[in-house]
Amino acid sequence: MKKQCPRCASYGKDTRKDNLHVYPDGSCYCFSCKLYIASPLTQENISNQIKKMEETKNIIVPEQETEINFSKLTTKIPSHVRNYLASKYIDPNFRHGTLYWDEKDEFLVYPVHDADGKIVFASCRYFGKNPEHPRYVNKGSYKYNPVVFGEEDKTNVVFVVEDFLSALRIASIKNPASGGGYCAYPMFGSIPYSSHMLKLTGLFLACAFFLDPDKRYDSYKYKMAWQHSFEAVDVVFSPKDPNDLTPLELKNIIETTVSDIERKLFNNYQYDNSKADLGSIY
């Protein structure tokens, strides 16, 4: 549903009365002037949204804990899965850990360990032939520290993505300015943990939500929720999922986004300094 945007109308614009997009939950967003009108979501509405998300995307969101039970994990990943990873420029033995294969369930597994080396969470990408099987399945609890792929000490920006393969793809791209890889935080689902995001504010000046195209509206909601916690927050729009982009397409998007954010950070720094200089006059 579309309506006239009150902000655009106040400037004599939006004469066609279709700039303001009204979403099912009652919130509104104008893609022209960027006006956002939040919806007073109740806990029941949030639960219904999560349930609907699971039904439509077949993804277990992080809040739901399932038992970690693998028949046998091995580093011997079959050739067809290795070929898939190679096509995405992903090394199974990367800087932050190792990907494993669960032969029984045909899962590519990324495990998260606690301080004692015990697997407390695992995100699994299904590579079997059953078309009805969920593409991603999470096991365990992801309530520990956030997992960040890349070299956080060499960049100001972290990309927030849905799955570990998208994060690994971004981390494999070298940042020409720092020489290290770009950083990405996988939510292992479609909802960011507040505790994780708060910890990310202590590591990065800015973040960019890079979700699947059908999550564009959610990306904007997350941006509005966290824009006052980071120096800059951006949303990446792409017609394809991050995993479906070619290496060159992904590289161009990442570099352009980081360049735009760095420019915003620089302008903010210049503005803060100008205020400090004016204050010193008096």
Side-chain angles (χ1 to χ4, degrees):
M1 179 179 175
K2 298 179 181 179
K3 296 172 60 177
Q4 186 178 42
C5 173
R7 180 186 290 172
C8 291
S10 67
Y11 293 111
K13 299 180 180 180
D14 194 13
T15 56
R16 296 173 61 180
K17 300 181 179 181
D18 61 357
N19 278 7
L20 194 68
H21 292 241
V22 182
Y23 294 93
D25 67 352
S27 59
C28 306
Y29 184 79
C30 177
F31 285 89
S32 178
C33 72
K34 314 303 182 187
L35 172 67
Y36 175 75
I37 303 174
S39 171
L41 292 176
T42 64
Q43 187 60 42
E44 182 180 0
N45 287 336
I46 294 174
S47 299
N48 289 337
Q49 283 191 349
I50 293 174
K51 182 178 179 181
K52 183 178 180 180
M53 184 188 306
E54 290 180 290
E55 292 173 349
T56 56
K57 290 293 292 182
N58 267 336
I59 294 178
I60 299 178
V61 296
E63 283 79 357
Q64 294 187 337
E65 298 181 16
T66 55
E67 182 182 0
I68 299 180
N69 182 21
F70 295 107
S71 56
K72 184 180 179 181
L73 291 182
T74 177
T75 55
K76 295 181 179 179
I77 300 174
S79 59
H80 70 284
V81 179
R82 282 191 170 274
N83 291 338
Y84 172 84
L85 295 175
S87 69
K88 307 296 182 183
Y89 284 57
I90 296 175
D91 184 353
N93 301 301
F94 53 98
R95 177 175 177 262
H96 296 269
T98 302
L99 298 179
Y100 295 89
W101 178 250
D102 178 15
E103 185 174 0
K104 178 183 177 182
D105 294 322
E106 298 183 282
F107 282 147
L108 182 67
V109 180
Y110 174 75
V112 176
H113 301 82
D114 63 11
D116 298 323
K118 178 185 176 182
I119 297 179
V120 293
F121 175 83
S123 185
C124 313
R125 168 65 155 86
Y126 179 67
F127 279 91
K129 296 181 180 180
N130 181 3
E132 302 299 322
H133 196 287
R135 183 186 299 179
Y136 283 92
V137 174
N138 292 335
K139 299 184 178 185
S141 174
Y142 187 37
K143 296 180 180 178
Y144 295 80
N145 289 330
V147 173
V148 177
F149 298 133
E151 299 177 52
E152 59 268 20
D153 58 335
K154 293 186 177 182
T155 181
N156 292 320
V157 185
V158 60
F159 287 87
V160 180
V161 296
E162 294 184 51
D163 59 90
F164 68 92
L165 291 180
S166 296
L168 286 174
R169 291 199 70 194
I170 293 174
S172 69
I173 302 173
K174 294 297 181 183
N175 184 341
S178 66
Y182 290 101
C183 287
Y185 154 67
M187 301 185 295
F188 297 117
S190 302
I191 303 173
Y193 273 112
S194 296
S195 59
H196 288 178
M197 294 298 293
L198 286 173
K199 289 180 180 178
L200 292 178
T201 62
L203 297 173
F204 302 94
L205 295 178
C207 79
F209 291 97
F210 192 178
L211 310 185
D212 294 349
D214 62 328
K215 294 292 189 302
R216 172 177 290 196
Y217 173 55
D218 292 327
S219 297
Y220 266 111
K221 289 201 297 186
Y222 300 153
K223 175 182 178 179
M224 296 301 170
W226 291 100
Q227 64 180 348
H228 300 299
S229 299
F230 291 89
E231 293 290 329
V233 179
D234 209 345
V235 173
V236 179
F237 292 128
S238 169
K240 303 177 186 176
D241 292 1
N243 277 326
D244 294 332
L245 293 166
T246 66
L248 182 58
E249 288 174 335
L250 182 62
K251 182 175 183 291
N252 289 338
I253 288 175
I254 296 301
E255 290 182 348
T256 300
T257 302
V258 170
S259 177
D260 290 343
I261 291 178
E262 293 284 2
R263 191 179 301 111
K264 292 176 184 176
L265 292 175
F266 178 77
N267 290 338
N268 290 344
Y269 175 77
Q270 292 287 83
Y271 177 69
D272 289 341
N273 279 355
S274 67
K275 289 196 299 182
D277 292 340
L278 287 173
S280 64
I281 295 176
Y282 304 98

